Amino acid sequence: MNYYGLRFFAVLLVLFGVVMISGVESGDVAFDTNYNVVWGDYKHASVLKHGRQARLSLDAQSGAGFGSKLQYESGFFNMRIKLANKNTAGVVTAFYLASSGNSQDELDFEFLGNKEGKPIILQTNVFANGKGDREQRVLLWFDPSADFHTYKILWNHRLIAFYVDGIPIRVFKNNTKIGVKYPTKAMEVHVSIFNGDDWATDGGQTKINWTSSPFTARFQGFNVDGCPLSQVSSTNSRNNCYASKYWWNKRKYWNLDRNQIKEYQNVREKYMNYDYCTDKARYPVTPPECASNQYITI
């Protein structure tokens, strides 16, 4: 091998070593590329590992949160999360999209903490034009505090879907044709940890044990696959963000595929803990979207 070949090989080794040491995945970006800390001081919110990991903590004084610098009108949003461990009853960790102002649109992942040894419940919710109350809850098939897992929200003009490690756990179709509101407002990405002990665990009966604090969650994966809000008129922007040039808007993402349907049905059968669609006390008349969303057509 000549001098130039040896030099090129050495450069490759250095680059490979940097990637291996930093653990940066292809396409990963630093935290401050897309996000800012929006509440909580340096004791409760910090950025680690050269911007490739964020840490949020909750104690009796404060929680913390960070949010995206931009608003988006469609996308496939992801976050890798490792929850606080041990006794987290009353602690809520959230990853969600939300619009500004009243009558908000919102898509929620909320992790409801629990007593040590009891399962953490993952709650999802969909708000459209200020109307929510569409909670679904699943018992995860792993310990979300033991390691990082990937949580994703797909949002296009046809379908909203929530995924855990690539497995769909919830779908919400665009049913405006039968009078069901569908999220269309520009939304920011938010992540937070906060005190939810008035509702989160056992309906608010189990309170936070502050002697176990601080409760610390960690986050990775700060790239954003989303169509940002345009500075032109909202109509032109929305049409642009629904365009097929964005991969998450292509026809294959209008429905689940055959394998995803099987995975989704398995989650519903084995892990679903609560579904607003079947809560007759709250909804004596089944909401119109429920029958349409329970099974996804191919």
mmCIF file of all heavy atoms in Angstrom, residues 107-136:
data_model
loop_
_atom_site.group_PDB
_atom_site.id
_atom_site.type_symbol
_atom_site.label_atom_id
_atom_site.label_comp_id
_atom_site.label_asym_id
_atom_site.label_seq_id
_atom_site.Cartn_x
_atom_site.Cartn_y
_atom_site.Cartn_z
ATOM 1 N N LEU A 107 -51.031 15.451 20.068
ATOM 2 C CA LEU A 107 -50.832 14.011 19.969
ATOM 3 C C LEU A 107 -49.878 13.605 21.081
ATOM 4 O O LEU A 107 -48.721 14.057 21.091
ATOM 5 C CB LEU A 107 -50.257 13.639 18.598
ATOM 6 C CG LEU A 107 -51.028 14.152 17.374
ATOM 7 C CD1 LEU A 107 -50.263 13.827 16.096
ATOM 8 C CD2 LEU A 107 -52.432 13.552 17.322
ATOM 9 N N ASP A 108 -50.337 12.760 22.003
ATOM 10 C CA ASP A 108 -49.611 12.515 23.252
ATOM 11 C C ASP A 108 -49.126 11.092 23.423
ATOM 12 O O ASP A 108 -49.883 10.128 23.222
ATOM 13 C CB ASP A 108 -50.531 12.791 24.456
ATOM 14 C CG ASP A 108 -50.982 14.217 24.560
ATOM 15 O OD1 ASP A 108 -50.303 15.097 24.030
ATOM 16 O OD2 ASP A 108 -52.035 14.449 25.186
ATOM 17 N N PHE A 109 -47.868 10.958 23.834
ATOM 18 C CA PHE A 109 -47.360 9.807 24.565
ATOM 19 C C PHE A 109 -47.181 10.270 26.009
ATOM 20 O O PHE A 109 -46.447 11.233 26.260
ATOM 21 C CB PHE A 109 -45.983 9.378 24.063
ATOM 22 C CG PHE A 109 -45.967 8.403 22.929
ATOM 23 C CD1 PHE A 109 -45.381 8.750 21.720
ATOM 24 C CD2 PHE A 109 -46.475 7.113 23.075
ATOM 25 C CE1 PHE A 109 -45.321 7.838 20.666
ATOM 26 C CE2 PHE A 109 -46.413 6.199 22.031
ATOM 27 C CZ PHE A 109 -45.844 6.563 20.826
ATOM 28 N N GLU A 110 -47.807 9.598 26.980
ATOM 29 C CA GLU A 110 -47.620 9.928 28.395
ATOM 30 C C GLU A 110 -47.325 8.642 29.159
ATOM 31 O O GLU A 110 -48.122 7.697 29.137
ATOM 32 C CB GLU A 110 -48.869 10.603 28.969
ATOM 33 C CG GLU A 110 -49.141 11.969 28.366
ATOM 34 C CD GLU A 110 -50.442 12.574 28.878
ATOM 35 O OE1 GLU A 110 -51.462 11.852 28.902
ATOM 36 O OE2 GLU A 110 -50.440 13.760 29.241
ATOM 37 N N PHE A 111 -46.177 8.616 29.828
ATOM 38 C CA PHE A 111 -45.780 7.466 30.625
ATOM 39 C C PHE A 111 -46.176 7.735 32.068
ATOM 40 O O PHE A 111 -45.686 8.683 32.695
ATOM 41 C CB PHE A 111 -44.276 7.240 30.520
ATOM 42 C CG PHE A 111 -43.808 6.976 29.114
ATOM 43 C CD1 PHE A 111 -43.485 8.035 28.270
ATOM 44 C CD2 PHE A 111 -43.699 5.688 28.632
ATOM 45 C CE1 PHE A 111 -43.056 7.803 26.969
ATOM 46 C CE2 PHE A 111 -43.262 5.438 27.340
ATOM 47 C CZ PHE A 111 -42.943 6.500 26.505
ATOM 48 N N LEU A 112 -47.071 6.896 32.586
ATOM 49 C CA LEU A 112 -47.612 7.097 33.926
ATOM 50 C C LEU A 112 -46.819 6.230 34.904
ATOM 51 O O LEU A 112 -46.894 5.007 34.874
ATOM 52 C CB LEU A 112 -49.100 6.722 33.947
ATOM 53 C CG LEU A 112 -49.951 7.328 32.812
ATOM 54 C CD1 LEU A 112 -51.419 6.951 32.999
ATOM 55 C CD2 LEU A 112 -49.772 8.839 32.738
ATOM 56 N N GLY A 113 -46.062 6.889 35.766
ATOM 57 C CA GLY A 113 -45.217 6.180 36.717
ATOM 58 C C GLY A 113 -46.020 5.329 37.682
ATOM 59 O O GLY A 113 -47.239 5.447 37.797
ATOM 60 N N ASN A 114 -45.313 4.459 38.392
ATOM 61 C CA ASN A 114 -45.992 3.528 39.294
ATOM 62 C C ASN A 114 -45.079 3.165 40.453
ATOM 63 O O ASN A 114 -43.885 3.492 40.455
ATOM 64 C CB ASN A 114 -46.413 2.268 38.531
ATOM 65 C CG ASN A 114 -47.723 1.692 39.041
ATOM 66 O OD1 ASN A 114 -48.105 1.891 40.187
ATOM 67 N ND2 ASN A 114 -48.426 0.978 38.169
ATOM 68 N N LYS A 115 -45.644 2.465 41.437
ATOM 69 C CA LYS A 115 -44.852 1.960 42.542
ATOM 70 C C LYS A 115 -43.831 0.963 42.011
ATOM 71 O O LYS A 115 -44.056 0.289 41.006
ATOM 72 C CB LYS A 115 -45.748 1.282 43.579
ATOM 73 C CG LYS A 115 -46.723 2.203 44.270
ATOM 74 C CD LYS A 115 -47.600 1.427 45.235
ATOM 75 C CE LYS A 115 -48.617 2.318 45.922
ATOM 76 N NZ LYS A 115 -49.527 1.551 46.817
ATOM 77 N N GLU A 116 -42.704 0.873 42.701
ATOM 78 C CA GLU A 116 -41.656 -0.045 42.267
ATOM 79 C C GLU A 116 -42.202 -1.470 42.186
ATOM 80 O O GLU A 116 -42.893 -1.938 43.083
ATOM 81 C CB GLU A 116 -40.475 0.008 43.233
ATOM 82 C CG GLU A 116 -39.267 -0.769 42.760
ATOM 83 C CD GLU A 116 -38.038 -0.516 43.609
ATOM 84 O OE1 GLU A 116 -38.138 0.252 44.591
ATOM 85 O OE2 GLU A 116 -36.967 -1.079 43.288
ATOM 86 N N GLY A 117 -41.908 -2.128 41.069
ATOM 87 C CA GLY A 117 -42.384 -3.491 40.859
ATOM 88 C C GLY A 117 -43.685 -3.583 40.106
ATOM 89 O O GLY A 117 -44.067 -4.668 39.652
ATOM 90 N N LYS A 118 -44.392 -2.449 39.956
ATOM 91 C CA LYS A 118 -45.635 -2.432 39.190
ATOM 92 C C LYS A 118 -45.381 -1.820 37.816
ATOM 93 O O LYS A 118 -44.492 -0.990 37.656
ATOM 94 C CB LYS A 118 -46.727 -1.642 39.930
ATOM 95 C CG LYS A 118 -47.235 -2.337 41.180
ATOM 96 C CD LYS A 118 -48.475 -1.634 41.719
ATOM 97 C CE LYS A 118 -49.079 -2.402 42.884
ATOM 98 N NZ LYS A 118 -50.335 -1.772 43.368
ATOM 99 N N PRO A 119 -46.162 -2.214 36.816
ATOM 100 C CA PRO A 119 -45.869 -1.761 35.454
ATOM 101 C C PRO A 119 -46.166 -0.281 35.226
ATOM 102 O O PRO A 119 -47.133 0.256 35.761
ATOM 103 C CB PRO A 119 -46.797 -2.635 34.594
ATOM 104 C CG PRO A 119 -47.923 -3.004 35.500
ATOM 105 C CD PRO A 119 -47.308 -3.153 36.861
ATOM 106 N N ILE A 120 -45.308 0.347 34.442
ATOM 107 C CA ILE A 120 -45.547 1.707 33.985
ATOM 108 C C ILE A 120 -46.537 1.645 32.823
ATOM 109 O O ILE A 120 -46.389 0.830 31.915
ATOM 110 C CB ILE A 120 -44.235 2.373 33.548
ATOM 111 C CG1 ILE A 120 -43.348 2.599 34.783
ATOM 112 C CG2 ILE A 120 -44.493 3.691 32.811
ATOM 113 C CD1 ILE A 120 -41.961 3.096 34.449
ATOM 114 N N ILE A 121 -47.560 2.465 32.879
ATOM 115 C CA ILE A 121 -48.600 2.475 31.847
ATOM 116 C C ILE A 121 -48.279 3.551 30.821
ATOM 117 O O ILE A 121 -47.911 4.683 31.167
ATOM 118 C CB ILE A 121 -49.983 2.721 32.479
ATOM 119 C CG1 ILE A 121 -50.370 1.547 33.390
ATOM 120 C CG2 ILE A 121 -51.043 2.931 31.401
ATOM 121 C CD1 ILE A 121 -51.626 1.788 34.190
ATOM 122 N N LEU A 122 -48.410 3.199 29.546
ATOM 123 C CA LEU A 122 -48.236 4.173 28.473
ATOM 124 C C LEU A 122 -49.611 4.608 27.981
ATOM 125 O O LEU A 122 -50.391 3.806 27.472
ATOM 126 C CB LEU A 122 -47.442 3.558 27.327
ATOM 127 C CG LEU A 122 -47.288 4.429 26.066
ATOM 128 C CD1 LEU A 122 -46.722 5.803 26.396
ATOM 129 C CD2 LEU A 122 -46.439 3.713 25.038
ATOM 130 N N GLN A 123 -49.901 5.893 28.144
ATOM 131 C CA GLN A 123 -51.173 6.453 27.704
ATOM 132 C C GLN A 123 -50.960 7.296 26.447
ATOM 133 O O GLN A 123 -50.012 8.069 26.362
ATOM 134 C CB GLN A 123 -51.771 7.334 28.800
ATOM 135 C CG GLN A 123 -53.048 8.060 28.390
ATOM 136 C CD GLN A 123 -53.717 8.752 29.562
ATOM 137 O OE1 GLN A 123 -54.369 8.130 30.383
ATOM 138 N NE2 GLN A 123 -53.558 10.064 29.647
ATOM 139 N N THR A 124 -51.853 7.120 25.471
ATOM 140 C CA THR A 124 -51.857 7.984 24.289
ATOM 141 C C THR A 124 -53.173 8.744 24.240
ATOM 142 O O THR A 124 -54.184 8.301 24.783
ATOM 143 C CB THR A 124 -51.683 7.168 22.993
ATOM 144 O OG1 THR A 124 -52.749 6.211 22.890
ATOM 145 C CG2 THR A 124 -50.346 6.459 22.973
ATOM 146 N N ASN A 125 -53.129 9.899 23.591
ATOM 147 C CA ASN A 125 -54.347 10.707 23.450
ATOM 148 C C ASN A 125 -54.246 11.517 22.168
ATOM 149 O O ASN A 125 -53.147 11.814 21.684
ATOM 150 C CB ASN A 125 -54.523 11.629 24.653
ATOM 151 C CG ASN A 125 -55.961 12.026 24.893
ATOM 152 O OD1 ASN A 125 -56.839 11.811 24.050
ATOM 153 N ND2 ASN A 125 -56.237 12.625 26.041
ATOM 154 N N VAL A 126 -55.397 11.854 21.615
ATOM 155 C CA VAL A 126 -55.482 12.658 20.394
ATOM 156 C C VAL A 126 -56.436 13.811 20.648
ATOM 157 O O VAL A 126 -57.594 13.590 21.027
ATOM 158 C CB VAL A 126 -55.977 11.818 19.199
ATOM 159 C CG1 VAL A 126 -56.178 12.705 17.974
ATOM 160 C CG2 VAL A 126 -55.012 10.681 18.881
ATOM 161 N N PHE A 127 -55.952 15.036 20.471
ATOM 162 C CA PHE A 127 -56.783 16.238 20.550
ATOM 163 C C PHE A 127 -56.923 16.827 19.154
ATOM 164 O O PHE A 127 -55.942 16.909 18.412
ATOM 165 C CB PHE A 127 -56.139 17.297 21.445
ATOM 166 C CG PHE A 127 -56.174 16.996 22.914
ATOM 167 C CD1 PHE A 127 -55.293 16.074 23.460
ATOM 168 C CD2 PHE A 127 -57.068 17.640 23.753
ATOM 169 C CE1 PHE A 127 -55.302 15.809 24.821
ATOM 170 C CE2 PHE A 127 -57.086 17.379 25.119
ATOM 171 C CZ PHE A 127 -56.201 16.460 25.648
ATOM 172 N N ALA A 128 -58.116 17.264 18.829
ATOM 173 C CA ALA A 128 -58.357 17.971 17.575
ATOM 174 C C ALA A 128 -59.294 19.134 17.844
ATOM 175 O O ALA A 128 -60.398 18.939 18.354
ATOM 176 C CB ALA A 128 -58.953 17.047 16.519
ATOM 177 N N ASN A 129 -58.835 20.352 17.558
ATOM 178 C CA ASN A 129 -59.614 21.563 17.789
ATOM 179 C C ASN A 129 -60.109 21.656 19.226
ATOM 180 O O ASN A 129 -61.241 22.041 19.495
ATOM 181 C CB ASN A 129 -60.794 21.627 16.806
ATOM 182 C CG ASN A 129 -61.347 23.025 16.670
ATOM 183 O OD1 ASN A 129 -60.613 24.003 16.747
ATOM 184 N ND2 ASN A 129 -62.650 23.140 16.482
ATOM 185 N N GLY A 130 -59.226 21.275 20.162
ATOM 186 C CA GLY A 130 -59.527 21.385 21.581
ATOM 187 C C GLY A 130 -60.247 20.208 22.192
ATOM 188 O O GLY A 130 -60.396 20.123 23.399
ATOM 189 N N LYS A 131 -60.695 19.247 21.374
ATOM 190 C CA LYS A 131 -61.399 18.084 21.897
ATOM 191 C C LYS A 131 -60.437 16.912 22.058
ATOM 192 O O LYS A 131 -59.814 16.470 21.091
ATOM 193 C CB LYS A 131 -62.545 17.670 20.974
ATOM 194 C CG LYS A 131 -63.359 16.494 21.506
ATOM 195 C CD LYS A 131 -64.356 15.970 20.503
ATOM 196 C CE LYS A 131 -65.231 14.849 21.046
ATOM 197 N NZ LYS A 131 -64.556 13.889 21.906
ATOM 198 N N GLY A 132 -60.332 16.433 23.292
ATOM 199 C CA GLY A 132 -59.500 15.277 23.591
ATOM 200 C C GLY A 132 -60.346 14.142 24.139
ATOM 201 O O GLY A 132 -61.285 13.684 23.503
ATOM 202 N N ASP A 133 -60.019 13.713 25.364
ATOM 203 C CA ASP A 133 -60.766 12.630 26.024
ATOM 204 C C ASP A 133 -60.806 11.374 25.164
ATOM 205 O O ASP A 133 -61.803 10.661 25.117
ATOM 206 C CB ASP A 133 -62.194 13.079 26.368
ATOM 207 C CG ASP A 133 -62.199 14.219 27.364
ATOM 208 O OD1 ASP A 133 -61.300 14.269 28.221
ATOM 209 O OD2 ASP A 133 -63.095 15.078 27.280
ATOM 210 N N ARG A 134 -59.689 11.101 24.478
ATOM 211 C CA ARG A 134 -59.593 9.902 23.648
ATOM 212 C C ARG A 134 -58.437 9.025 24.151
ATOM 213 O O ARG A 134 -57.604 8.550 23.378
ATOM 214 C CB ARG A 134 -59.363 10.280 22.187
ATOM 215 C CG ARG A 134 -60.520 11.051 21.537
ATOM 216 C CD ARG A 134 -60.251 11.192 20.037
ATOM 217 N NE ARG A 134 -61.359 11.815 19.346
ATOM 218 C CZ ARG A 134 -61.368 13.089 18.931
ATOM 219 N NH1 ARG A 134 -60.340 13.878 19.186
ATOM 220 N NH2 ARG A 134 -62.411 13.571 18.268
ATOM 221 N N GLU A 135 -58.394 8.799 25.447
ATOM 222 C CA GLU A 135 -57.280 8.069 26.020
ATOM 223 C C GLU A 135 -57.318 6.572 25.680
ATOM 224 O O GLU A 135 -58.376 5.950 25.697
ATOM 225 C CB GLU A 135 -57.266 8.215 27.550
ATOM 226 C CG GLU A 135 -57.136 9.632 28.058
ATOM 227 C CD GLU A 135 -58.481 10.300 28.294
ATOM 228 O OE1 GLU A 135 -59.513 9.779 27.805
ATOM 229 O OE2 GLU A 135 -58.503 11.351 28.965
ATOM 230 N N GLN A 136 -56.165 6.041 25.383
ATOM 231 C CA GLN A 136 -55.942 4.603 25.338
ATOM 232 C C GLN A 136 -54.691 4.323 26.146
ATOM 233 O O GLN A 136 -53.748 5.123 26.151
ATOM 234 C CB GLN A 136 -55.783 4.088 23.904
ATOM 235 C CG GLN A 136 -57.060 4.112 23.094
ATOM 236 C CD GLN A 136 -56.884 3.520 21.699
ATOM 237 O OE1 GLN A 136 -55.784 3.144 21.302
ATOM 238 N NE2 GLN A 136 -57.966 3.454 20.948
#
